[in-house]
Amino acid sequence: MWHNLVINICFVASTIFFFFSFIQLIHKERLPSNYFLSVVFLSTGMHGFSLSFNTSGFQIFTRYFIFSDYAFIALIGPFLFLFVIYITTDRRITRKAVVLHSLPFFLFFILIEVLNLLYFDEADKGSLPVFKAIFSAACLSLFIYLFLIIRQLRTFYRRKKSPQIAVLIFIASCSLFFSLIFILSWTSVRELQFVSDAAFACTSTLFIFFLIRYPHYFNRLQHDAQGIRYRKSQIEKLNTQKLMERLDALIEDEKIHMDRSVSLKTLSGELDISSSQLSELLNSHHKASFNNFINSYRVEEAKTLLHAKSDVNILEIAFECGFNSKTAFNTAFRKFTGLTPSEYKKQLSS
């Protein structure tokens, strides 16, 4: 009875986590932190769904996808860590860093699916020690990442006693404790398996109630963290007027934004200031991140070119304006104009 109740709670909680994941994807600001959270919610939901389908004996699931949630556990820690790093530091998170942090997930997922195809019977799969090893490695990875997250948050919290950060520390600490239970339940104390499932159900339910009660928690957390980062200004002793004049010259005269290799580091080098100083300067004077600042000028250039060169391919215009791909161009163009480049071009012709 209790086991069925736990499984049903996991199923409902997972469905809500999928909804939260979708909400982060369509968030109007479209910050990297929103995508990191989306992956965290999606991975958590996948684990809960797996518990439900595994118990129900759903044949397609047990044949092809059983134990696949172990790989998704290896995604929760890395992407929650990237989220915390993004909101608490000025460090730029590159695609390479995201791929490296995601590498264990891909390795685990491929190995699990290969074994699922090689072994038909669920009992045969369950007897394989490799699945226990993968689960233990995924939980250990989660444990290590949570430890790093708590350490980073505590360091950040000392700068200002923010209630938003305190809540996140509490959530991470509870998750750290339960990740230890997960490891013990599969490595030495099998009787703890039900306890680990119940712990996941209870933690998920409490977290969902918390998000329903405070739906804008993560937005407030990001804004609060940004305020703390800039509390001790790094540009107060700089001649900001002169820096802004130089920045305007780089944009208007040298068209530096149309260089596809321009980055926060290269632009700060042109201004002879640090990356964090440039980030604060843009936030203070333009209320924009580096990417939004650069892309806004690129989109304006693109609008001019679409009007002047109606016969030129849209992809060529994207590259000419400094975008690295058509996807990035479409996303930025829609963000600043509400239309895709194709829709904008049709509107011009009509």
Side-chain angles (χ1 to χ4, degrees):
M1 172 187 173
W2 288 108
H3 188 261
N4 289 336
L5 178 62
V6 166
I7 296 304
N8 290 333
I9 291 174
C10 288
F11 181 83
V12 174
S14 299
T15 304
I16 298 173
F17 274 123
F18 287 138
F19 174 73
F20 286 155
S21 176
F22 177 72
I23 290 298
Q24 292 298 323
L25 282 177
I26 63 173
H27 196 277
K28 61 181 180 180
E29 291 187 4
R30 300 198 178 180
L31 298 172
S33 53
N34 296 116
Y35 297 120
F36 297 151
L37 276 180
S38 180
V39 174
V40 171
F41 290 144
L42 174 66
S43 303
T44 307
M46 288 299 296
H47 178 62
F49 254 6
S50 178
L51 292 176
S52 304
F53 283 129
N54 189 28
T55 305
S56 65
F58 190 52
Q59 190 172 5
I60 294 178
F61 175 82
T62 55
R63 175 67 180 94
Y64 298 106
F65 302 107
I66 193 168
F67 303 126
S68 59
D69 63 303
Y70 294 176
F72 284 94
I73 292 174
L75 271 184
I76 299 173
F79 277 81
L80 188 58
F81 177 72
L82 291 173
F83 169 78
V84 169
I85 291 299
Y86 181 85
I87 67 170
T88 59
T89 70
D90 289 321
R91 195 185 312 171
R92 183 170 177 264
I93 298 175
T94 62
R95 289 183 181 179
K96 182 180 179 181
V98 174
V99 171
L100 287 175
H101 283 285
S102 307
L103 198 56
F105 161 76
F106 290 112
L107 294 176
F108 291 160
F109 189 80
I110 291 170
L111 179 58
I112 289 169
E113 291 310 311
V114 167
L115 291 172
N116 274 332
L117 292 173
L118 290 176
Y119 293 86
F120 181 83
D121 190 77
E122 182 183 348
D124 292 339
K125 296 175 186 179
S127 64
L128 293 175
V130 66
F131 285 118
K132 182 187 289 187
I134 291 173
F135 182 81
S136 301
C139 288
L140 182 61
S141 166
L142 177 61
F143 185 87
I144 293 171
Y145 272 110
L146 286 170
F147 176 79
L148 296 174
I149 288 167
I150 293 170
R151 189 176 68 172
Q152 173 66 23
L153 289 173
R154 286 176 63 85
T155 302
F156 191 69
Y157 182 74
R158 293 190 191 102
R159 297 172 60 180
K160 183 182 177 182
K161 302 297 188 284
S162 164
Q164 312 295 333
I165 298 296
V167 170
L168 193 57
I169 292 174
F170 176 75
I171 293 171
S173 299
C174 291
S175 302
L176 183 72
F177 173 72
F178 290 127
S179 67
L180 183 60
I181 294 179
F182 292 158
I183 296 173
L184 291 174
S185 69
W186 281 87
T187 55
S188 56
V189 189
R190 291 289 294 179
E191 291 75 13
L192 284 175
Q193 186 173 347
F194 173 73
V195 177
S196 67
D197 294 345
F200 173 80
C202 293
T203 307
S204 300
T205 303
L206 289 173
F207 185 66
I208 287 167
F209 275 124
F210 174 79
L211 285 183
I212 292 173
R213 176 66 180 82
Y214 303 101
H216 303 296
Y217 166 73
F218 282 107
N219 291 334
R220 290 180 60 188
L221 173 65
Q222 293 181 65
H223 294 149
D224 197 12
Q226 187 179 55
I228 296 171
R229 290 212 311 269
Y230 294 141
R231 186 171 52 125
K232 186 176 181 181
S233 177
Q234 301 180 63
I235 62 173
E236 59 184 2
K237 294 182 180 179
L238 299 176
N239 188 335
T240 55
Q241 183 178 352
K242 198 168 185 179
L243 284 171
M244 292 307 298
E245 289 174 357
R246 172 60 179 152
L247 182 59
D248 289 341
L250 287 170
I251 294 291
E252 295 174 10
D253 300 334
E254 300 183 32
K255 303 289 184 182
I256 195 170
H257 56 285
M258 298 180 76
D259 181 357
R260 274 184 272 171
S261 63
V262 68
S263 65
L264 183 66
K265 186 176 180 180
T266 58
L267 186 55
S268 61
E270 291 285 344
L271 297 171
D272 199 24
I273 57 177
S274 68
S275 297
S276 58
Q277 286 174 322
L278 175 57
S279 183
E280 183 178 352
L281 187 71
L282 294 175
N283 186 268
S284 300
H285 289 264
H286 290 280
K287 306 298 180 187
S289 65
F290 169 77
N291 286 335
N292 284 340
F293 174 76
I294 291 295
N295 285 342
S296 66
Y297 282 98
R298 286 173 173 171
V299 168
E300 288 302 315
E301 293 284 352
K303 287 164 66 178
T304 302
L305 291 175
L306 285 169
H307 189 274
K309 301 180 179 180
S310 57
D311 56 331
V312 176
N313 185 278
I314 288 177
L315 185 60
E316 291 180 30
I317 290 177
F319 289 147
E320 187 175 345
C321 293
F323 290 99
N324 289 310
S325 68
K326 189 174 182 179
T327 302
F329 179 45
N330 286 342
T331 301
F333 200 92
R334 182 187 286 274
K335 180 175 183 177
F336 290 103
T337 67
L339 301 170
T340 64
S342 300
E343 291 170 343
Y344 184 82
K345 193 172 182 180
K346 287 179 182 178
Q347 195 177 74
L348 286 176
S349 61
S350 61

